Amino acid sequence: MTLGTDLAPQVLLPGFAGTTVPAWLDDALDAGLAGVCLFAGNVDPGDPHGTARLTAALRARRPDLVVALDEEGGVVTRLEAPRGSTLPSPAQIGLLPVDAATETGALLAARLRAAGIDLVLAPDGDVNDNPLNPVIGARSFGADPEVVAERVAATVMALQAGGVAACVKHWPGHGDTVVDSHHGLPTVPAQTVERHAAPFATAFAAGVAAVMTAHVVVPEWGQTPVTLDAAALGRLRALTDAVIVTDAVDMAAVAAEAGPGAAAARALAAGADLVCIGNPGLSGIDDEAQYREVVDAVAAAIDDGRIPEARARDAAARVAALAAAYPAAAETDGSRPDGSPADGSPAEPDAATVRSIARALAEASTADVASIADAAEVRDGRRGPSMAVATRARPVVEWLSEATTRELAAAPVGPGRIIVVADRLDDDQRAVIAAAQAQGAAVVVNVGPIGATAPHPTVELGADSPLSVRVLQEWLGGAVR
C-alpha cells in the first residue's frame, strides 16, 4: 500500500447504485472510505424502514462513516422522490417569518436522524435573483440576500440542534446564473458574489459544519472553476473552518475537460476536504468504475506530490472530526419508519403551518386561486427538471388536472380558462403562456421562485409538491381569506 492508496479513500464521498451495499463498496469501506452520499436510487419507496437498515448496514462495516443525503425540501428530495416532498420549499419558507425555517429544519432533522443520515447537503444559501436560473429557482429562500441569510442561519441551527451536520451551498453563489453546472460552466461576476455573501456569512457565524463549493468561474478571480482554484478556496478557508465539500465532480462544469478523477485531485490540492463524486443514477457511469477512476487519480496525485501529504492528511482529519462530532443515531431494528421522529408522530407540517403558507402565497399572487376553478385545460409549460432534482413527480399538475376534469364532468363551463404551470420566464414558457392567452383567458400557476412569471395573472405556489397541493386545498376550501 502506498501513501496515496491509504489516504485517498479518507477524503471521498461516492454515491452507489441500489438499496443494498455492493461488493466494491464493501472493499472501499475496508480501505478506509470517508463516507457515502445517498440518492433517490438508494431509497426503496416500498420499504419505509429501508434507508435506516441500509445506513445501519453501512455503519456495521464502518461505525465512523459519514452518510450524506441531498435533501432540501421542495423539489430536491431523495427520501420522498417518488411522490415529492411533504416539507415546505425554501421559496415558500422565504415568504414566512423566520420561525418557519427553524420549524422545517427541525422536522427535516428528525427525518434524517430516523433514516441514519448525519450530513445533509442543505440548506441552499444561493440568492436566486435571476428568473432564468435553470438549476436553483425555488431551491432558494428568495431574491433578497437578507431574507435568505436569516433563513439559512435558522435552518443550519435547527438541523445541527437536531443532531445532523448541515452543509450550506453553493459558495460563493450559484443564484445569478443562466447555465446549469451539471451541463456547463457558469460565470458569476465578483460584484454578484459580494452582493450574495450574506447567507454564507450567517451560516459560518452559526457554526455550519460544512460548506459546498459551486462549479462557477468568477472572472475577477481568474478563469479556473472555484472548486478547483486554490486562491478561491483560500478565500473560503479564511471565512470558515467548516469542512469544504465539493459539488459533484462528475458534473460537466469541472469534469468535461479531463474527467471526474482529475477534477477530484485538483479540488483536493486546491483546498477541498471531501470530494462528492456524484450520483450514479444520473451520470450514466457505472458506480464502481466511477469510484475507482476517482480514488486512483487522487492516490496517484498524493504519491507524486501534486496533492502534498500535509494537505491530504489535513483534509482527512477534518472529515474524521466531522464524523466524530455528528455520530448517527439511526434505529437499527426497523422499529420506526424513515422520516418519523422518535415518538412515531408524522414529521410533517401541521394544518396551521400549511394555512400560513397559503396566506403568504395568496398575498404574493396576482391572480385569485378561484380563477382556476372553471379552467378547461391544464398545460405544463415546463421543460424537464434540472439534474439536481431527483423527483419526477408532478403532484400539482396531477391535482389540477383531476380537479379540472371533475368540475367539467359535473358542470361543463364552455372554453373556460387555461391553466399554464410554469417555473421561470424562459422563452419556451413565455410561448406556452402566450398561446394559452391567444385562446382565451389564461392563468399561470407558478411552481418556481415567487414572482418569476410576472406580469401574467399568477397563482404563486413556490413548488410542485404534495405540500403545495395541501396549500391549494386549504386555499380553495375557504380557509384563506
Side-chain angles (χ1 to χ4, degrees):
M1 176 181 290
T2 68
L3 179 66
T5 56
D6 178 40
L7 289 176
Q10 299 179 44
V11 292
L12 299 182
L13 189 75
F16 63 95
T19 57
T20 58
V21 182
W24 71 263
L25 184 54
D26 261 336
D27 293 341
L29 294 171
D30 287 342
L33 182 65
V36 296
C37 188
L38 303 187
F39 294 95
N42 304 119
V43 178
D44 182 352
D47 183 357
H49 308 281
T51 309
R53 281 201 294 270
L54 174 58
T55 56
L58 288 162
R59 289 201 176 87
R61 299 300 305 271
R62 273 190 64 87
D64 58 347
L65 189 72
V66 173
V67 181
L69 186 73
D70 203 5
E71 188 82 10
E72 300 173 10
V75 297
V76 177
T77 176
R78 316 298 172 182
L79 291 176
E80 298 185 284
R83 62 172 180 159
S85 179
T86 52
L87 291 179
S89 72
Q92 292 166 341
I93 294 170
L95 295 179
L96 301 177
V98 73
D99 288 352
T102 300
E103 293 166 6
T104 303
L107 289 175
L108 179 55
R111 295 182 178 198
L112 296 167
R113 292 281 287 181
I117 306 301
D118 51 13
L119 172 64
V120 62
L121 304 182
D124 194 315
D126 297 310
V127 178
N128 194 83
D129 55 7
N130 189 329
L132 295 177
N133 194 315
V135 67
I136 303 300
R139 299 169 62 193
S140 167
F141 291 106
D144 183 331
E146 294 305 319
V147 168
V148 177
E150 291 177 348
R151 283 144 190 81
V152 163
T155 302
V156 166
M157 289 187 284
L159 286 167
Q160 296 188 170
V164 179
C167 179
V168 66
K169 60 190 183 186
H170 308 79
W171 186 88
H174 207 314
D176 188 9
T177 61
V178 294
V179 175
D180 181 346
S181 49
H182 291 87
H183 304 296
L185 182 58
T187 296
V188 180
Q191 63 184 13
T192 300
V193 168
E194 183 176 350
R195 191 172 73 247
H196 291 187
F200 298 101
T202 59
F204 300 152
V208 71
V211 53
M212 178 175 282
T213 61
H215 298 331
V216 300
V217 165
V218 181
E220 293 84 350
W221 297 359
Q223 295 304 311
T224 302
V226 163
T227 299
L228 312 181
D229 185 355
L233 297 192
R235 291 172 182 261
L236 177 56
R237 180 53 73 212
L239 298 172
T240 178
D241 201 42
V243 172
I244 297 176
V245 183
T246 72
D247 208 345
V249 293
D250 64 345
M251 294 165 62
V254 295
E257 183 177 340
R266 290 181 64 189
L268 288 161
D273 301 313
L274 184 60
V275 172
C276 180
I277 295 177
N279 183 351
L282 295 179
S283 66
I285 299 173
D286 174 80
D287 54 356
E288 179 179 3
Q290 183 167 260
Y291 173 73
R292 295 205 181 283
E293 176 185 346
V294 172
V295 74
D296 289 349
V298 171
I302 294 171
D303 286 336
D304 67 19
R306 284 175 291 146
I307 302 174
E309 178 181 348
R311 168 83 274 275
R313 291 195 183 279
D314 176 63
R318 289 177 182 276
V319 175
L322 174 67
Y326 291 89
E331 298 294 315
T332 57
D333 59 0
S335 63
R336 58 189 169 104
D338 303 337
S340 294
D343 63 3
S345 61
E348 295 191 11
D350 60 20
T353 299
V354 174
R355 199 168 297 121
S356 295
I357 296 170
R359 290 194 186 102
L361 290 169
E363 292 178 2
S365 297
T366 56
D368 192 281
V369 73
S371 64
I372 69 174
D374 66 347
E377 183 183 350
V378 179
R379 298 179 185 175
D380 194 343
R382 296 167 294 172
R383 292 178 288 186
S386 158
M387 290 178 71
V389 178
T391 181
R392 297 299 184 266
R394 295 287 184 271
V396 166
V397 174
E398 291 172 7
W399 188 84
L400 287 171
S401 298
E402 290 171 4
T404 299
T405 302
R406 184 169 59 249
E407 291 298 324
L408 286 174
V413 293
R417 292 181 174 87
I418 298 172
I419 301 172
V420 179
V421 180
D423 61 358
R424 60 180 181 269
L425 273 174
D426 64 23
D427 290 342
D428 290 342
Q429 292 184 29
R430 286 179 184 273
V432 174
I433 295 167
Q437 288 175 325
Q439 293 179 250
V443 175
V444 175
V445 171
N446 177 33
V447 295
I450 308 304
T453 52
H456 310 287
T458 301
V459 173
E460 300 284 2
L461 283 184
D464 188 353
S465 69
L467 190 281
S468 293
V469 172
R470 289 182 63 191
V471 166
L472 275 172
Q473 290 168 335
E474 287 279 337
W475 201 343
L476 283 170
V480 178
R481 298 296 183 188

